[in-house]
Amino acid sequence: MRKFLLSITIVAFVLQLSACQSIRSGGAPEPSFNIDQDLEQLSKEFASATSISEYYKLDADKRQDARNRFVSGRLVQMDLQYLKFIRTLTADKQQLDAATDVVNMSLNLAGTLVGGLQAKSNLAAAAAGISGAKTTIDKDFYYEKSIQALVATMNAKRKEVLYKVLLGLSASTERYPFERAVTDLNEYYLAGTLNGALQFINTQAAESSAQSDKALAVLYKVPVPSQPQIISIGSLTDALGAPAMALEKAKAILTALGVKPDALPATLDGSDGKPGALQLLKTQIRAAKNLADDTDREVAIRALNAAFKAQGF
């Protein structure tokens, strides 16, 4: 019986170890290269190239190549570090579930085979502990989904900054100074951090909220005419298309509404290429309709009605 329990314990340990390995690997196979070793070799290779002080010791004609080598060296090291970073953020939940379920099955099976009360208690405690851990993983699964969204945001932001950096490397040091390249590299690093991703998401949310606020503010300012005002506006609009509407009558209406003589149109329909009298009257009606203050809107519509009525409409 002891050998059986020992076997069960070993199986459980192996399964749990495989699940932990899945966490460490970020739900992906181990890379075919040694990231830490590559980083160490790259650090030695670019030791002088990625030194800011060494850059300023160079002559002006050598600085563009030095700038590009500096940026390239830092980029590849950042990318490798970023790869290590994101592999620790995600876990393969399916693998964890499978491992946990099998461990529980093994422990429950062992519980049916052992006879001692203490042994049964120990196995029951172990099963409860594993089930509790699985519940925690289930709850954290939603957190993991959030992490995946943050990683996607980091990847997108890094590509955006990388495009700017690569574009700069094709330019001279006068157009893309070394100092600007260093700033962009720092932005590239920040784009690959959780804080950077959260800041980007918050900024986008703030911008979206601001745009919505503006749209709502405009919507709230749109006046709603009363039913009598709607009827009046409709009558005024109909009058513009009436056969009796002539240029002189239109001018008289515009004059009554305060349009100066030198601003009166020469045609009714704008056939001379300039705004005609009908267009100006439509503008006057629309402006009265859109006044925000109820009293001002009522006064303007009454003035329009009086001006049109004076001309027989």
Side-chain angles (χ1 to χ4, degrees):
M1 181 57 63
R2 290 182 179 179
K3 290 183 179 180
F4 176 77
L5 290 176
L6 178 60
S7 300
I8 292 295
T9 303
I10 293 174
V11 170
F13 175 76
V14 171
L15 287 169
Q16 287 179 316
L17 184 62
S18 66
C20 292
Q21 180 62 31
S22 177
I23 295 177
R24 287 198 301 269
S25 300
E30 288 292 340
S32 57
F33 54 92
N34 189 313
I35 296 179
D36 291 325
Q37 184 176 349
D38 286 353
L39 282 170
E40 182 180 356
Q41 293 177 357
L42 285 168
S43 296
K44 295 178 180 178
E45 176 68 22
F46 289 100
S48 59
T50 56
S51 170
I52 294 178
S53 60
E54 291 296 324
Y55 172 83
Y56 287 107
K57 295 178 182 179
L58 299 173
D59 297 332
D61 59 338
K62 297 180 180 179
R63 287 190 172 182
Q64 182 170 342
D65 289 339
R67 177 204 62 189
N68 292 356
R69 184 169 172 79
F70 175 92
V71 172
S72 299
R74 293 241 170 150
L75 279 176
V76 71
Q77 292 180 76
M78 285 183 185
D79 286 342
L80 288 174
Q81 291 284 13
Y82 177 73
L83 178 61
K84 287 178 58 180
F85 173 59
I86 63 172
R87 286 174 61 83
T88 64
L89 292 179
T90 59
D92 190 339
K93 182 178 183 293
Q94 183 177 2
Q95 180 71 15
L96 293 173
D97 282 346
T100 304
D101 291 340
V102 172
V103 170
N104 273 322
M105 288 175 58
S106 301
L107 290 171
N108 291 332
L109 176 62
T112 64
L113 297 177
V114 297
L117 181 62
Q118 184 62 44
K120 286 182 178 290
S121 298
N122 292 340
L123 289 171
I130 290 176
S131 297
K134 182 177 183 297
T135 302
T136 302
I137 291 169
D138 287 336
K139 291 179 181 179
D140 289 344
F141 182 57
Y142 293 99
Y143 168 77
E144 182 185 332
K145 289 298 183 183
S146 300
I147 288 295
Q148 291 175 4
L150 289 173
V151 170
T153 301
M154 289 189 293
N155 288 341
K157 188 61 179 174
R158 277 165 54 86
K159 289 179 182 179
E160 180 182 323
V161 181
L162 180 61
Y163 173 80
K164 181 170 59 175
V165 171
L166 296 180
L167 195 63
L169 294 183
S170 63
S172 64
T173 53
E174 287 76 17
R175 294 184 59 187
Y176 189 66
F178 177 75
E179 295 77 11
R180 174 70 179 278
V182 173
T183 300
D184 287 345
L185 285 173
N186 290 334
E187 184 181 356
Y188 186 68
Y189 168 78
L190 181 61
T193 64
L194 293 179
N195 285 338
L198 288 171
Q199 182 179 358
F200 180 68
I201 291 173
N202 290 336
T203 300
Q204 283 190 319
E207 291 176 354
S208 177
S209 178
Q211 291 176 357
S212 298
D213 289 341
K214 289 181 180 179
L216 288 172
V218 172
L219 181 62
Y220 289 147
K221 290 180 180 178
V222 174
V224 181
S226 64
Q227 189 64 25
Q229 290 174 348
I230 293 173
I231 295 174
S232 295
I233 292 170
S235 300
L236 294 171
T237 304
D238 292 340
L240 296 179
M245 179 60 71
L247 177 60
E248 293 307 317
K249 288 188 176 183
K251 284 185 177 181
I253 295 172
L254 288 170
T255 301
L257 295 173
V259 178
K260 296 180 179 180
D262 57 350
L264 292 173
T267 64
L268 184 65
D269 56 2
S271 56
D272 60 348
K274 298 179 181 179
L278 291 178
Q279 183 176 348
L280 290 183
L281 285 172
K282 288 180 181 178
T283 302
Q284 292 278 348
I285 295 172
R286 190 182 305 113
K289 176 184 175 182
N290 291 334
L291 287 172
D293 185 80
D294 291 340
T295 302
D296 292 343
R297 186 168 61 253
E298 181 71 29
V299 170
I301 292 176
R302 285 184 179 181
L304 281 164
N305 281 325
F308 272 81
K309 187 176 181 180
Q311 297 303 315
F313 296 99

